[in-house]
């Protein structure tokens, strides 16, 4: 079976100064420049968030073991049982991410088309189900059929550019809309008892580990040093974008903030409608990155890492079809992000890279990498256990497809603010005229 083909293709390397590579010369003949790989990483991080120290640790583990995939690294370190566990996690994370991206695309783009003058909001051709199916057939499936991830470099550049544009829209609305939205009770409390649930969502957002070896392999002359520089640049860009998104979103809506931020905005806001369109396109362009990983896991486990053209097409179509069907049945994004974060992303980020490095490295215990690994591993275990329990016992509210109460002047008085009903209604009426149109 595929497991037996996971032996390293090059001898182990101990020199991590960047002079050696993890990829044998006969593999990955289609390479990409460092800038294209940067946008692939940024697209994966933003479509799926910020990464951390463990990403570089992961590649170092590959260097120490002489392996060039996440699966082969764990196979070399922990044997067949570790290999199977990692394969399951590495498949489930991007697969569930594909489901979440479909949910976002359906929710977001349906509101865009419903805002077109003269269009019946109940028209089946602008509903989330039709949009998910159409975007799958026309965009995500054709892009996912590429055999080399380097070909997604330009697509990732477009996605990153659109993300920057969306950030500008969210920042503008934080200034113009934020003062008119009532603040929730204890809105500025730093953390509440269920804060660990947020760690699960952030783990979902922070991860890029499942496709890091794919992007690394697409580099021309890949080395650990070059990968570290690439990751540092990607982190700077991603941290800036993610912090501003989170800050502007929460400053605007405080405790009313939904798992999908665009669910908070009113449908008659033309600027946000344009932002929704850009967001939907961005998510669609990020989707193929996740499909590449699911297909690679299947190829490694069942086909020894090599897929014929026919099997490549069949497996891609099957994975996307199942993800699409599931996304048509689920419409609440928050619980999807939480469970995927605590059950899949947390071990992939915190636990497995740290465990691999601790077992492979011959550095002294006081080495900074070993100290950080010893810190990350138990943190990951705690987040995984308690995050799962709290996600089940204290699920997030979901207002999928509903207009928020502050979008209706008649309901605006139901909030706990110190202003009178007349003042609130007047404010919102002015808001509708001066901002949303």
């Amino acid at each position: 079976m595929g497991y037996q083909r996971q032996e390293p293709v090059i001898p182990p390397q101990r020199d991590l100064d960047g002079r050696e590579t993890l990829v044998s010369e006969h593999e990955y003949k289609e390479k990409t420049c460092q800038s294209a790989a940067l946008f692939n990483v940024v697209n994966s991080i933003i479509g799926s968030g910020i990464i951390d120290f463990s990403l570089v640790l992961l590649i170092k583990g590959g260097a120490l073991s002489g392996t060039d995939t996440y699966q082969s690294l764990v196979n070399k370190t922990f044997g067949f049982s570790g290999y199977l566990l990692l394969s399951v996690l590495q498949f489930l994370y991007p697969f569930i991410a594909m489901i979440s991206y479909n949910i976002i695309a359906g929710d977001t783009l349906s509101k865009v088309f419903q805002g077109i003058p003269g269009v019946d909001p109940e028209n089946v051709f602008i509903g989330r189900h039709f949009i998910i199916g159409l975007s799958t057939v026309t965009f995500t499936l054709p892009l996912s059929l590429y055999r080399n991830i380097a070909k997604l470099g330009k697509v990732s550049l477009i996605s990153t550019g659109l993300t920057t544009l969306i950030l500008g829209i969210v920042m503008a609305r934080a200034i113009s809309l934020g003062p008119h939205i009532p603040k929730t009770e204890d809105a500025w409390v730093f953390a509440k008892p269920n804060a660990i649930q947020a760690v699960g969502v952030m783990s979902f957002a922070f991860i890029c580990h499942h496709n890091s070896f794919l992007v690394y392999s697409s580099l021309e002359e890949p080395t650990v040093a070059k990968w570290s520089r690439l990751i540092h640049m990607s982190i700077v860009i991603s941290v800036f974008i993610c912090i501003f998104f989170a800050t502007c979103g929460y400053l605007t809506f405080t405790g009313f903030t939904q798992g999908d931020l665009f669910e908070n905005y009113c449908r008659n806001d033309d600027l946000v409608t344009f932002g929704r369109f850009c967001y939907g396109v961005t998510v669609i362009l990020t989707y193929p990155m996740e499909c590449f990983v699911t297909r690679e896991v299947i190829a490694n486990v069942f086909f020894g890492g090599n897929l014929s053209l026919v099997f490549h097409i069949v497996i891609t179509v099957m994975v996307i079809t199942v993800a699409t069907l599931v996304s048509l049945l689920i419409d609440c994004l928050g619980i999807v992000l939480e469970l995927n974060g605590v059950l899949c992303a947390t071990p992939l980020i915190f636990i497995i890279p740290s465990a691999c490095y601790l077992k492979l490295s011959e550095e002294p215990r006081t080495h900074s990498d070993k100290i950080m690994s010893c810190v990350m591993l138990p943190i990951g275990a705690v987040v995984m256990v308690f995050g799962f329990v709290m996600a089940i016992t204290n699920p997030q509210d979901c207002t999928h497809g509903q207009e928020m109460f502050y979008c209706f002047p008649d309901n605006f008085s139901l909030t706990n603010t110190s202003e009178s009903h007349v003042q609130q209604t007047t404010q919102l009426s002015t808001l509708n005229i001066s901002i949303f149109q």
Side-chain angles (χ1 to χ4, degrees), residues 62-129:
L64 290 171
S65 62
T67 55
D68 53 18
T69 69
Y70 202 164
Q71 290 169 286
S72 57
L73 166 62
V74 176
N75 173 30
K76 185 69 177 292
T77 309
F78 294 107
F80 183 58
S81 58
Y83 166 79
L84 286 181
L85 175 61
L86 185 277
S87 296
V88 171
L89 294 174
Q90 202 176 13
F91 175 85
L92 285 178
Y93 171 79
F95 181 75
I96 298 175
M98 291 164 63
I99 295 172
S100 68
Y101 292 160
N102 274 338
I103 294 173
I104 293 172
D107 291 347
T108 303
L109 294 179
S110 61
K111 288 188 176 182
V112 171
F113 296 127
Q114 288 169 2
I116 299 176
V119 174
D120 181 6
E122 302 299 324
N123 191 319
V124 67
F125 295 109
I126 60 172
R128 64 181 299 271
H129 294 84

Side-chain angles (χ1 to χ4, degrees), residues 9-10 21-25 27-28 31 68 213 216-217 222:
V9 296
I10 57 175
T21 69
L22 295 181
V23 184
S24 56
E25 295 180 358
E27 294 182 337
Y28 304 103
K31 302 295 181 179
D68 53 18
F213 278 101
Y216 176 85
S217 302

Side-chain angles (χ1 to χ4, degrees), residues 243-255:
I243 286 179
F244 270 83
F245 262 122
T247 302
C248 293
Y250 188 78
L251 286 177
T252 307
F253 304 108
T254 59

Side-chain angles (χ1 to χ4, degrees), residues 32 58 64 130 154 158 178 223 240 271 385:
T32 185
L58 187 66
L64 290 171
F130 181 80
K154 293 181 180 179
I158 296 173
T223 64
F240 173 81
L271 179 61
V385 174

Side-chain angles (χ1 to χ4, degrees), residues 185-196 198-199 202 250:
E185 185 179 357
D186 297 330
W188 310 115
V189 174
F190 177 73
K192 297 181 180 180
N194 62 340
I196 196 169
V199 179
M202 287 187 289
Y250 188 78

